[in-house]
Amino acid sequence: MQKVLVLNGSFCEIPIIEECHRMGYYVITTGNMPDLEGHKTADEYINCDYSDYKAVLRIVKDNNIVGVLSCANDFGSITAAYVDEQMGWNHHDTFQNSLLEHHKDLFKSYMMSKGYPVPNSVAFEDEVEAMRFVGNCADYPIIVKANDLTGGKGILRADNEEQAIAAVKNAFLRSRAKHIIIEKFISGDQQTFVTFLHDRKVVSYTGCDSFSYVNPYLVQSEALPSEDIDQISDKLIPIIETMARDLHLADGIFAFQYVRNGHDVCIFEMMRRPFGNQFLKLVEYNTDFPWHLAQVVAETGGDWSSVKRKPIDYKYCGHFEVMASRNGTLTDYSIPDDILAHVIKRFDMKKVGDRIVDFKNERVTFLHLKYDDAAEMRRDIRTYFDRIKVVVR
């Protein structure tokens, strides 16, 4: 039985592990958190920091592994690209392209050089220079970001110099490489456009409207498809396919996160990997394409003819992350019956009695949702935060 390595083993990676099993692979997972649920569904677990790409390469060589699967994290995608390149497989993008795709300064520099719509950004590796910039040159409001993190970590908005100083210190503190970017804050509606590339052409796509409540830099809820998906696809697919040709990209997931203001879009992130919250399950529900199967085929060099179209499960779907509004002990939470009626799948991450120590990033429960009407879905999701009661003492 051939062996594959899935980077990380959180609940986010469980659908990838399950798909690998369906395809007959022996699945090894890695990561430095052995108690994660995904590791229990694999055939074998090897304790290793999946962002340590040289250590992961040793695991691949020592265990006769035939392919590496990206996890729902940029560091995992970069590691997969490095290992793939060292092994000569050509199933992921090059290591340098993966850095370009997932390091904010390289991505913005590339996009600006091509004239694509991104916010103007300035990168800093020296905190003193960054402080000088926010004191003399910054055009407020601005966003300050750690260059190499995801999930809203190391990001703060600043409307004045005092806030900017705090944001710069925060970003340098959080960045692993002590590297940050500062860019103009762009107002508008946040959305994500997700595609699958095959032979550098988009073969499936959808998009979502994104909503944040507890943490403005962490998406807490999404509704699929986005309200203006047809207009957005006309704008973004040509950019994606041009980039795929220009950078000689491998088959796989390609997503943009962007802000929409009227008919204009401003792209601020891209990803070449799965997403958290088992988001690709929703994408599978919403399209006629088997995303997890296609990911495993693409990242292991499998037979593309096995990737077949399928019926659409739900025309409208989404997710909501139940979160607390402060730290403390979770004493109770309740979800109204009319919300539960829309739940496809539920993932309980906390139980009564558990401590919440980082309420802006910890989730109590994930809900996957289905609706028959798009307007009703978007209207309802906007009320969930107020209607779902989370009691913390």
Side-chain angles (χ1 to χ4, degrees):
M1 184 180 293
Q2 290 185 315
K3 298 178 182 179
V4 294
L5 180 68
V6 176
L7 301 178
N8 205 23
S10 74
F11 96 100
C12 302
E13 284 75 45
I14 289 176
I16 304 170
I17 297 167
E18 292 174 341
E19 190 62 54
C20 289
H21 278 150
R22 279 191 287 270
M23 295 174 67
Y25 287 114
Y26 180 94
V27 180
I28 301 174
T29 56
T30 192
N32 55 11
M33 299 177 69
D35 295 331
L36 293 178
E37 191 67 25
H39 297 313
K40 301 171 187 176
T41 65
D43 299 293
E44 183 180 344
Y45 164 68
I46 298 175
N47 192 316
C48 175
D49 181 352
Y50 65 77
S51 69
D52 185 345
Y53 43 83
K54 292 185 179 180
V56 173
L57 178 61
R58 287 195 295 272
I59 291 173
V60 167
K61 290 181 176 180
D62 291 345
N63 291 274
N64 297 314
I65 288 166
V66 300
V68 176
L69 280 300
S70 304
C71 61
N73 184 282
D74 288 356
F75 288 111
S77 186
I78 292 168
T79 292
Y82 174 84
V83 171
D84 184 270
E85 187 172 275
Q86 293 297 309
M87 297 298 294
W89 289 332
N90 298 316
H91 303 147
H92 291 263
D93 294 339
T94 66
F95 180 61
Q96 287 302 315
N97 275 346
S98 187
L99 293 177
L100 181 154
E101 292 154 358
H102 298 106
H103 283 182
K104 296 174 177 60
D105 62 335
L106 298 177
F107 172 64
K108 298 289 173 48
S109 177
Y110 170 83
M111 297 292 281
M112 286 189 289
S113 74
K114 300 297 181 179
Y116 295 142
V118 293
N120 289 325
S121 303
V122 185
F124 297 93
E125 298 182 61
D126 183 273
E127 189 168 338
V128 174
E129 290 184 8
M131 291 297 187
R132 187 178 299 117
F133 177 83
V134 299
N136 299 321
C137 306
D139 180 16
Y140 295 102
I142 59 173
I143 287 284
V144 184
K145 302 178 178 181
N147 189 56
D148 50 0
L149 298 182
T150 62
K153 302 178 185 70
I155 299 178
L156 287 175
R157 170 178 167 165
D159 295 322
N160 53 54
E161 183 178 350
E162 181 181 2
Q163 293 177 1
I165 290 171
V168 167
K169 290 180 178 178
N170 173 71
F172 270 109
L173 178 66
R174 300 296 296 272
S175 171
R176 290 195 186 187
K178 305 307 175 190
H179 193 168
I180 75 167
I181 66 166
I182 299 173
E183 60 190 35
K184 178 68 178 173
F185 175 79
I186 306 296
S187 61
D189 299 319
Q190 184 174 332
Q191 297 179 325
T192 298
F193 186 70
V194 56
T195 72
F196 203 96
L197 288 174
H198 176 56
D199 290 338
R200 297 166 190 156
K201 300 288 290 183
V202 171
V203 294
S204 186
Y205 69 88
T206 189
C208 66
D209 299 314
S210 304
F211 308 96
S212 302
Y213 304 97
V214 173
N215 182 345
Y217 313 112
L218 178 71
V219 173
Q220 190 173 345
S221 182
E222 291 169 303
L224 290 79
S226 53
E227 196 165 2
D228 53 356
I229 185 66
D230 293 332
Q231 295 89 341
I232 290 297
S233 63
D234 288 345
K235 290 177 179 290
L236 296 184
I237 287 178
I239 295 176
I240 291 169
E241 292 184 341
T242 300
M243 288 180 65
R245 293 190 296 270
D246 182 41
L247 297 172
H248 306 286
L249 299 184
D251 290 355
I253 300 158
F254 186 120
F256 277 144
Q257 288 182 307
Y258 59 95
V259 170
R260 178 180 61 85
N261 195 328
H263 297 295
D264 296 326
V265 300
C266 189
I267 301 163
F268 61 88
E269 300 278 359
M270 74 164 285
M271 291 170 288
R272 290 281 281 155
R273 59 168 176 80
F275 312 104
N277 319 333
Q278 296 192 10
F279 178 76
L280 280 188
K281 294 297 291 184
L282 295 172
V283 176
E284 287 191 347
Y285 295 148
N286 188 237
T287 64
D288 65 350
F289 189 74
W291 289 73
H292 286 102
L293 170 62
Q295 181 200 350
V296 177
V297 167
E299 296 186 5
T300 62
D303 180 7
W304 184 259
S305 67
S306 66
V307 180
K308 307 291 187 183
R309 298 288 174 174
K310 66 176 189 63
I312 293 175
D313 296 289
Y314 305 113
K315 191 173 181 181
Y316 308 109
C317 58
H319 78 86
F320 186 86
E321 302 174 6
V322 178
M323 301 173 69
S325 57
R326 65 185 183 90
N327 291 331
T329 300
L330 179 65
T331 59
D332 192 21
Y333 66 96
S334 59
I335 303 172
D337 288 342
D338 65 303
I339 294 178
L340 290 174
H342 291 285
V343 173
I344 308 166
K345 201 169 184 181
R346 175 175 175 169
F347 312 89
D348 291 324
M349 311 301 290
K350 298 282 186 182
K351 61 182 183 297
V352 171
D354 285 350
R355 290 285 297 172
I356 295 174
V357 297
D358 183 9
F359 75 94
K360 288 189 175 181
N361 290 287
E362 293 184 52
R363 287 79 158 180
V364 175
T365 298
F366 290 98
L367 304 176
H368 281 186
L369 311 159
K370 62 178 176 64
Y371 274 83
D372 295 323
D373 181 81
E376 179 188 8
M377 176 177 63
R378 294 188 183 92
R379 183 182 65 245
D380 282 6
I381 283 177
R382 288 183 172 94
T383 72
Y384 279 14
F385 180 69
D386 292 323
R387 297 179 60 217
I388 296 176
K389 303 303 180 185
V390 180
V391 181
V392 175
R393 301 193 189 283

